[in-house]
């Protein structure tokens, strides 16, 4: 890698003088990039039951949280400093009940053809979907916990394929 992409510190967003910088991706080739991120919401069993029964005070929590996740992925560059704005071709947010937690599993898949990856967009989608779910259900359970937001998989780009699952 050239100095343009990695400074002496090894961090791509820090230049040789230690100043923050937006990475110059103009010399990179646009390729298909995909990222999947996940997270979970842990809550009281009664809270999960109320949401599943449609008895939440603010309406359809799951549909609203999915929409919030999609909208957030599209705004990632405005939320995270130095993040490149990207033309996103696919954003999918899945929120599934998990009685074992108890709570919900959240998974976001984001895809584009661009010079840089969509990991931040997928992670942002999961984060904001979780925060929205919390906001809409906090009247039922203020102890809901947002946990384990992480990158599950990514494809495309110079670094290639990554999977958290062996």
């Amino acid at each position: 890698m050239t100095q343009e992409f990695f400074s002496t510190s090894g961090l791509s967003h820090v230049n040789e003088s230690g100043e923050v910088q937006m990475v110059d991706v103009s010399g990179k080739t646009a390729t298909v990039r995909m990222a999947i991120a996940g997270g979970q919401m842990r809550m009281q069993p009664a809270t999960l039951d109320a949401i599943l029964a449609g008895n939440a005070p603010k309406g359809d929590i799951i549909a609203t949280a999915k929409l919030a996740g999609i909208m957030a992925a599209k705004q990632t560059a405005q939320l995270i400093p130095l993040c490149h704005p990207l033309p996103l071709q696919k954003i999918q947010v899945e929120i599934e009940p998990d009685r074992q937690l108890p709570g919900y599993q959240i998974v976001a898949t984001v895809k584009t053809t661009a010079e840089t990856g969509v990991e931040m967009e997928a992670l942002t989608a999961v984060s904001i979907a979780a925060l929205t779910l919390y906001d809409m259900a906090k009247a039922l359970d203020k102890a809901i916990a947002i946990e384990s937001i992480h990158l599950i998989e990514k494809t495309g780009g110079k670094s290639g394929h990554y999977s958290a699952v062996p």
Side-chain angles (χ1 to χ4, degrees):
M1 271 285 143
T2 65
Q3 201 68 2
E4 176 179 274
F5 291 109
F6 291 101
S7 72
T8 54
S9 70
L11 300 173
S12 60
H13 288 86
V14 178
N15 68 17
E16 297 79 22
S17 302
E19 300 166 324
V20 237
Q21 68 177 357
M22 187 168 183
V23 176
D24 181 0
V25 297
S26 62
K28 295 173 100 179
T29 302
T31 61
V32 176
R33 318 275 184 137
M34 184 273 307
I36 301 171
Q40 61 188 30
M41 305 284 298
R42 188 178 304 273
M43 59 192 64
Q44 297 298 316
T47 306
L48 177 59
D49 291 340
I51 295 169
L52 289 171
N55 295 332
K58 292 189 176 182
D60 189 341
I61 290 177
I62 303 305
T64 304
K66 285 181 180 182
L67 180 59
I70 292 167
M71 292 172 66
K74 293 167 56 173
Q75 297 301 315
T76 301
Q78 294 177 356
L79 297 170
I80 300 175
L82 308 177
C83 195
H84 292 86
L86 296 171
L88 305 179
Q89 281 89 32
K90 175 185 181 177
I91 307 168
Q92 180 178 348
V93 177
E94 300 170 48
I95 303 175
E96 297 295 330
D98 182 342
R99 290 212 176 266
Q100 297 297 326
L101 279 173
Y104 284 91
Q105 297 290 341
I106 303 170
V107 176
T109 303
V110 180
K111 190 174 181 182
T112 191
T113 300
E115 294 80 11
T116 190
V118 287
E119 296 96 294
M120 296 311 302
E121 287 74 9
L123 290 162
T124 299
V126 169
S127 300
I128 297 303
L131 288 168
T132 301
L133 197 154
Y134 179 89
D135 181 51
M136 294 190 72
K138 69 184 177 211
L140 299 171
D141 182 358
K142 290 188 180 18
I144 295 171
I146 298 169
E147 301 175 340
S148 303
I149 296 173
H150 64 287
L151 181 65
I152 296 170
E153 184 177 7
K154 77 135 210 109
T155 61
K158 195 165 195 165
S159 65
H161 182 253
Y162 164 81
S163 177
V165 181

